[in-house]
Amino acid sequence: MTQTLHIIGGGMAGSEAAWQAAQAGVPVVIHEMRPQVGTFAHQTGNLAEMVCSNSFRSDDDEQNAVGLLHWEMRAAGGLIMEMADAHQLPAGGALAVDREAFATGVTERLRAHPLVTVETGEITALPKDGHWIIATGPLTSSALGQAIQAETGADALAFFDAIAPIVYADSIDMSKAWMQSRYDKGETEEEQKAYLNCPMDRDQYEGFIDALLAADKTEFHEGETAGYFDGCLPIEVMAERGRETLRHGPMKPVGLTNPHQPDVKAYAVVQLRRDNALGTLYNIVGFQTKMKYGAQADVFKRIPGLEGARFARLGGIHRNTFLNSPTLLDNQMRLKSKPHIRFAGQITGVEGYVESAAMGLLAARFAVADITGHSLPDLPQDTAMGALVHHITGGAEAKTFQPMNVNFGLFRPVDGLKGGRRGRTDRYKAYTDRAKAAWQDWLMAGTGRPA
């Protein structure tokens, strides 16, 4: 009888790991503490609930590393990408999803699988035997976190993730706002109008920055150091770095024309992206925040078009813990001191929904090989997954290890390519061509057939 794979955590990584193992014929038990034990950020008991953005970022699999990661997961029969594609929303060149429909879809598919069991309850100690994947994400429970820390003998690293607010669409003043993707990006009219834009003149922008800097912020507990992942900086932290930082970041006005005042160039623009298929909810792009709730409403209502905004969810901030993976995990994501335990997802030091799910996919395939007694060839470092795993399990400097998104800087160079803008385009295409061939070969070698 095939041994069971136990997975702690039903987020992106845990859900993908469960699907991969079950599809390979291995029984799976997902141990998910929600809704019995809640977290600050989650609102439901669904698997794969999205708590920060609703975007999987770029879907360009020839010029973008995360788009390549999308491609690799699709090629491997990934559930996360299947459900993302099924519940996609217009978002220019990005892959954004209806977060509620997406999580419901993942949950239903897993619960309906004959080899998957979902058990609700908190796991508070490291398992002593069996086959396990810990995919508890950035909000690992205190008890399990302490057990991990006691085993590893190392202080858990931590930083903070911020969440952006969500606005009811019918509360946005469309006499001031308009629909347009930056540079009209997209092949269809729907894609070209995927974002809602709120313009600011210089005085409005300066007043917004003043209010943002003066607003009451969430304070950290004694002994906590506020470190942030650069891809999820609170807007007030960006503003503290310089008054023009936001105008050159999430509020940049380029590539947009206000149809209400086509001859007036906005000094800054706030963009909102559709958050559900009905188009009734929009999230404010790049507006992660640690402002207190009352202050958020006051500050965000200074944005033209949002003066009467009603918020379905305000922003917030939460602690994110992760392992020093270069010292603690081997190249198959096993805990060196307890190799029957693998880790996957954000707790390994990757950042982003897709990266987390990809680590779940790999951890499951490694675990299935152990359970079934089949050997897997070495994971090609020239794939997006291989480059990311190599980075977190040995390629990164352990003393300065921080969460990392997939990017072409993790890839081994391709020889013979020239520099410059055209050279960069050629280089990225060479990276993706090489990666796709290597990934298909690995899938074929590991299963005897394409996934």
Side-chain angles (χ1 to χ4, degrees):
M1 183 176 179
T2 303
Q3 298 178 70
T4 297
L5 175 62
H6 294 266
I7 299 171
I8 306 177
M12 294 290 177
S15 295
E16 185 63 58
W19 180 256
Q20 292 288 324
Q23 288 293 89
V26 172
V28 176
V29 177
I30 301 174
H31 302 269
E32 171 53 57
M33 67 181 186
R34 296 178 294 114
Q36 182 176 315
V37 179
T39 74
F40 158 77
H42 292 88
Q43 297 180 323
T44 75
N46 279 338
L47 304 173
E49 180 181 342
M50 304 175 83
V51 298
C52 188
S53 168
N54 72 322
S55 174
F56 286 86
R57 313 196 316 278
S58 174
D59 203 33
D60 183 346
D61 62 17
E62 293 190 348
Q63 293 292 315
N64 191 285
V66 74
L68 173 62
L69 200 55
H70 293 179
W71 186 95
E72 291 182 6
M73 293 181 68
R74 290 183 179 114
L79 177 63
I80 294 301
M81 292 310 303
E82 179 187 341
M83 290 296 101
D85 291 337
H87 301 289
Q88 184 174 359
L89 299 175
L95 176 58
V97 306
D98 180 325
R99 71 177 78 211
E100 183 176 347
F102 166 82
T104 298
V106 172
T107 303
E108 290 177 349
R109 288 294 295 278
L110 286 171
R111 287 188 176 275
H113 200 292
L115 292 180
V116 176
T117 302
V118 180
E119 293 187 358
T120 302
E122 182 182 4
I123 302 293
T124 59
L126 292 181
K128 295 181 179 180
D129 52 33
H131 297 273
W132 292 78
I133 295 175
I134 296 178
T136 46
L139 299 178
T140 299
S141 71
S142 177
L144 183 58
Q146 290 174 7
I148 294 169
Q149 187 173 9
E151 172 61 29
T152 60
D155 291 335
L157 298 175
F159 65 106
F160 292 87
D161 266 351
I163 297 172
I166 295 175
V167 178
Y168 287 104
D170 63 5
S171 69
I172 300 170
D173 184 353
M174 294 305 294
S175 70
K176 298 179 180 179
W178 77 95
M179 304 299 300
Q180 183 189 6
S181 296
R182 203 178 301 279
Y183 298 109
D184 297 312
K185 189 171 183 178
E187 296 181 1
T188 66
E189 183 178 359
E190 188 177 36
E191 287 286 339
Q192 292 165 3
K193 294 183 177 181
Y195 290 82
L196 191 152
N197 302 280
C198 298
M200 287 185 179
D201 61 27
R202 182 165 189 159
D203 288 343
Q204 289 167 332
Y205 177 79
E206 294 293 347
F208 177 79
I209 296 299
D210 288 339
L212 185 63
L213 293 174
D216 287 337
K217 318 292 194 307
T218 298
E219 299 299 328
F220 297 103
H221 297 299
E222 186 176 352
E224 288 185 335
T225 301
Y228 301 99
F229 174 61
D230 279 344
C232 207
L233 284 175
I235 55 170
E236 54 274 8
V237 173
M238 286 190 275
E240 289 167 358
R241 295 181 174 182
R243 296 184 68 87
E244 292 290 290
T245 302
L246 286 172
R247 202 170 74 85
H248 294 282
M251 296 176 67
K252 59 182 179 287
V254 299
L256 298 165
T257 300
N258 183 355
H260 306 303
Q261 295 179 298
D263 297 328
V264 177
K265 178 68 174 178
Y267 191 74
V269 174
V270 175
Q271 286 199 305
L272 295 88
R273 179 176 54 229
R274 191 194 298 183
D275 204 75
N276 65 346
L278 293 174
T280 57
L281 301 174
Y282 277 76
N283 65 72
I284 311 181
V285 179
F287 267 48
Q288 299 87 357
T289 182
K290 63 173 182 172
M291 285 187 287
K292 292 182 178 179
Y293 284 170
Q296 283 184 51
D298 291 342
V299 172
F300 293 146
K301 286 184 178 183
R302 299 178 68 98
I303 298 170
L306 300 188
E307 295 92 342
R310 291 178 290 109
F311 295 90
R313 183 190 74 187
L314 288 165
I317 193 163
H318 61 85
R319 186 180 179 90
N320 185 334
T321 58
F322 61 98
L323 299 174
N324 192 312
S325 294
T327 62
L328 299 174
L329 303 183
D330 69 12
N331 63 2
Q332 289 202 6
M333 305 166 72
R334 293 174 293 208
L335 187 62
K336 292 177 182 178
S337 62
K338 289 186 180 297
H340 66 287
I341 299 174
R342 284 182 165 84
F343 283 83
Q346 264 185 269
I347 197 170
T348 65
V350 298
E351 176 63 23
Y353 293 137
V354 182
E355 290 88 341
S356 296
M359 297 304 96
L361 185 154
L362 286 177
R365 287 186 171 236
F366 291 144
V368 166
D370 281 352
I371 291 170
T372 61
H374 295 134
S375 61
L376 281 177
D378 291 339
L379 181 66
Q381 189 179 335
D382 292 330
T383 61
M385 290 200 208
L388 198 53
V389 167
H390 177 264
H391 176 78
I392 66 172
T393 61
E397 173 58 51
K399 291 182 180 179
T400 57
F401 184 60
Q402 289 290 308
M404 178 65 72
N405 285 125
V406 68
N407 63 85
F408 285 128
L410 303 180
F411 286 56
R412 295 190 293 190
V414 176
D415 294 334
L417 293 176
K418 298 179 180 180
R421 179 172 294 277
R422 181 64 229 175
R424 183 175 62 186
T425 299
D426 292 342
R427 184 169 68 253
Y428 292 169
K429 182 65 163 57
Y431 283 146
T432 57
D433 286 348
R434 182 180 65 178
K436 290 175 182 179
W439 182 245
Q440 288 283 32
D441 287 347
W442 189 77
L443 292 177
M444 178 74 79
T447 63
R449 55 179 173 78

